[in-house]
Amino acid sequence: MTELYKKKGICIWCSRSSNETSFLTKPHTIPKKLNAHKIGFDICDQCNKYFGSDNNEEKIKYSIDKITKEIFNVHRFLLSNEKDSNSWKKFKSQFFNYYHSKNALKIKIDYRKNIGFEEAFTKKFKRGIYNIFLQEYHRNTENGLDAQFDEIRNFVRYNIGDLPLYYLKNRTGIRLTEDLDMPMEFSFNQHVQSIIDRYGFYHMTLKGLNFFIAVNQKAFENIDNYLIPECKYLMGSGFVFNKLIEIKKISQIDFTIQDWS
Ligand SMILES: [Zn+2]
């Protein structure tokens, strides 16, 4: 069988080559349920399967793809304007319930009772964001095997270590106008590449949510001289964005106007 989905011939996640693994399955760089149809390469069948399959041996058994998709599903629901007391009937989420009378989303009771669930869930979501980054970066630049991304590989593929996810909060009540049905597009132009090289950060806009991720070690030296000034600049008068936070719990992403702890 021809191995269609390889260019460098080494998996960007596990670093194995065709001698040790295979590249036969179509790898979506962004979970396809997010209306993304980008097909990557150099993502081996085993790694591809790992990101898309539940695993009963992990604290959160749900796959990275499923959790990422779910958060954006919730985000879309909260942004829709037609919510009423019947909305919850249409709202299907594995992890959340919607209470119209309280105007709130809550993590389902079974999960709330589970100590450490939210932290572990949040960590998997962070891994999902970094997963999209490296796969899209490699699809665009073919440079995802670079050693500067080893921390990302360990974190996303093997759950080793922890990487920060920064989030630029929207001001309460601000509705995003971005079309949620538009396919996701990321830019890795020269300017973006020079920010990565100099400061180690990547600004990722996903369905109107603004994240900053630490893509290499330089990021940790550049919080004060890149991340904070850049976010201050984006905040401007504070009309759209008003705060930069590091996500520790998924409920910190207010998405819109809800308090859904
Ligand atoms: Zn692999």
Side-chain angles (χ1 to χ4, degrees), residues 71-84:
I71 293 300
F72 287 101
N73 174 28
V74 164
H75 169 56
R76 171 191 297 272
F77 174 74
L78 287 176
L79 282 181
S80 67
N81 285 312
E82 321 83 57
K83 287 193 296 296
D84 57 31

Side-chain angles (χ1 to χ4, degrees), residues 11 14 44 47:
C11 175
C14 67
C44 82
C47 291

Side-chain angles (χ1 to χ4, degrees), residues 97-140:
N97 285 327
Y98 174 62
Y99 300 93
H100 187 69
S101 57
K102 295 182 192 139
N103 201 20
L105 274 172
K106 282 187 191 291
I107 290 184
K108 287 182 179 174
I109 187 77
D110 287 354
Y111 298 124
R112 261 185 283 155
K113 284 192 297 198
N114 183 340
I115 306 289
F117 177 88
E118 199 187 350
E119 287 80 0
F121 184 92
T122 306
K123 197 170 180 197
K124 251 191 175 169
F125 174 69
K126 294 200 297 180
R127 291 165 68 202
I129 298 293
Y130 277 90
N131 173 270
I132 292 172
F133 165 78
L134 191 58
Q135 295 185 162
E136 271 293 293
Y137 183 85
H138 188 67
R139 190 179 69 78
N140 282 274

Side-chain angles (χ1 to χ4, degrees), residues 6 34 41 50 74 82 91 96 107-108 115 258:
K6 66 175 192 184
L34 294 177
F41 41 82
Y50 171 76
V74 164
E82 321 83 57
F91 179 66
F96 302 97
I107 290 184
K108 287 182 179 174
I115 306 289
Q258 321 288 341

Side-chain angles (χ1 to χ4, degrees), residues 11-16 21 43-48 157:
C11 175
I12 57 166
W13 293 114
C14 67
S15 310
R16 287 178 295 179
T21 186
I43 298 161
C44 82
D45 296 334
Q46 284 166 47
C47 291
N48 198 20
R157 179 63 176 87

Side-chain angles (χ1 to χ4, degrees), residues 28-62:
H28 290 262
T29 53
I30 304 168
K32 64 173 178 254
K33 292 209 168 125
L34 294 177
N35 192 25
H37 308 284
K38 308 266 190 277
I39 305 303
F41 41 82
D42 299 325
I43 298 161
C44 82
D45 296 334
Q46 284 166 47
C47 291
N48 198 20
K49 192 170 168 221
Y50 171 76
F51 298 128
S53 315
D54 292 354
N55 181 345
N56 285 320
E57 281 156 38
E58 296 181 12
K59 167 95 187 159
I60 305 287
K61 69 172 185 175
Y62 306 103

